[in-house]
Amino acid sequence: MSLLDRVVVVLFEPQNPINIGAAVRAMKNMGVSRLRLVRGVEFDPYRVEGIAHGTMDVIERIERFDDFDAAVADCVTVAAFTARRRAAKWRIIEPRAMAVELLDRAADGDVAVVFGREDHGLPNEIVDRAQLVVTIPTTEHASLNLAQALLVALYELHLAAGDATRTLPPARKETPPPTVGELEHHFRVTNEALETIEFFKARNAEQVMRSLRAILTRAAPDSRELSLLRAISYEVVNFVARSKGEPTPAQRPRG
């Protein structure tokens, strides 16, 4: 069980089904699945799912309440999000600190993050009921879309819970690192290419090659990437030979 299973999103009087859909999408992105609406606008679940594809599992669990106190009655801690300055001297924290405190309290029961109406946010009497008051740092233009604000909150909770569950797929072909022999062969070919274009004419060859070794060591290419770099050097030598009407290294007699 993830700590995020203890997190309840409460939207107080949401007015637009589109914002509810965007909120559901943010929840699905960040691994939170419990949404409660307090006096929310009526909506068609299929339309909301059309806004937030693949989220019907979250939509089907949405709970509706006529009273805010009832919506959070089973929660041990409530975090209210507000952008407005208020007369009451609450301790205001930022989302990152909120995430740590809220998840710490989630060990004792359900916790809630609360967001208000799109036009006026949360009224004072709702903020009064919160144990944590949270403000998202912004410029002087502090108005955030409901779903944007929710996504910020859930992102911090997602990270604090250590629940970054999405992993990038591996490369289509896992390529091992180059061997020492492959590296030395690469540097010999590179040296030959640079000599061919007279790159060392005004430069110290030993220092140049030492710098290239350092660069390649930091880059840590795999054997496929090293092969590509080596092919470039081969082609430099071949191009110069062809332009002079001379045989390429591969065409020269051996022995």
Side-chain angles (χ1 to χ4, degrees):
M1 179 178 177
S2 168
L3 280 174
L4 296 178
D5 294 331
R6 292 281 182 87
V7 176
V8 178
V9 175
V10 179
L11 303 185
F12 181 76
E13 298 183 350
Q15 301 167 288
N16 194 322
I18 293 176
N19 287 330
I20 293 174
V24 167
R25 182 198 299 245
M27 292 172 62
K28 187 77 171 183
N29 290 152
M30 297 300 154
V32 175
S33 60
R34 301 168 65 188
L35 176 60
R36 297 176 180 178
L37 306 179
V38 179
R39 297 193 291 275
V41 65
E42 294 294 329
F43 62 87
D44 179 350
Y46 292 99
R47 183 187 176 200
V48 170
E49 203 271 340
I51 298 167
H53 300 289
T55 62
M56 188 56 76
D57 57 324
V58 177
I59 296 168
E60 289 177 341
R61 296 184 63 187
I62 293 176
E63 300 175 81
R64 288 181 169 274
F65 294 83
D66 293 323
D67 178 71
F68 177 78
D69 289 337
V72 296
D74 59 343
C75 297
V76 297
T77 303
V78 172
F81 279 71
T82 179
R84 292 189 288 125
R85 295 184 179 275
R86 301 169 190 258
K89 294 183 179 180
W90 287 302
R91 180 175 72 97
I92 306 294
I93 60 175
E94 295 182 357
R96 187 157 300 174
M98 174 278 304
V100 174
E101 290 195 35
L102 205 64
L103 292 179
D104 183 59
R105 301 183 191 190
D108 298 320
D110 291 342
V111 294
V113 289
V114 183
F115 294 82
R117 291 167 57 104
E118 293 91 330
D119 52 359
H120 298 303
L122 289 173
N124 286 332
E125 61 269 20
I126 299 301
V127 179
D128 286 341
R129 289 162 168 73
Q131 290 74 50
L132 302 175
V133 180
V134 191
T135 296
I136 298 172
T138 64
T139 64
E140 289 300 316
H141 187 69
S143 176
L144 286 173
N145 173 270
L146 173 59
Q148 291 175 328
L150 177 59
L151 183 60
V152 170
L154 296 183
Y155 171 78
E156 294 295 349
L157 285 163
H158 186 76
L159 293 186
D163 200 33
T165 53
R166 180 175 181 266
T167 57
L168 293 176
R172 283 177 291 180
K173 292 183 179 180
E174 292 289 347
T175 307
T179 64
V180 172
E182 288 173 330
L183 284 168
E184 291 307 314
H185 180 48
H186 165 76
F187 289 123
R188 286 194 296 272
V189 175
T190 300
N191 190 90
E192 182 181 1
L194 295 177
E195 285 181 342
T196 299
I197 62 174
E198 299 183 357
F199 187 81
F200 297 135
K201 188 173 183 179
R203 299 175 179 87
N204 185 293
E206 183 177 353
Q207 291 179 356
V208 169
M209 292 307 299
R210 183 172 293 117
S211 294
L212 290 178
R213 282 179 179 272
I215 292 169
L216 202 70
T217 298
R218 290 197 301 271
D222 60 31
S223 59
R224 182 189 62 81
E225 293 166 333
L226 188 71
S227 177
L228 175 62
L229 293 175
R230 188 166 60 247
I232 293 172
S233 294
Y234 272 130
E235 191 53 39
V236 168
V237 175
N238 291 339
F239 178 82
V240 172
R242 289 194 299 268
S243 66
K244 292 180 178 180
E246 300 174 353
T248 65
Q251 296 169 336
R252 295 169 191 165
R254 298 181 179 180

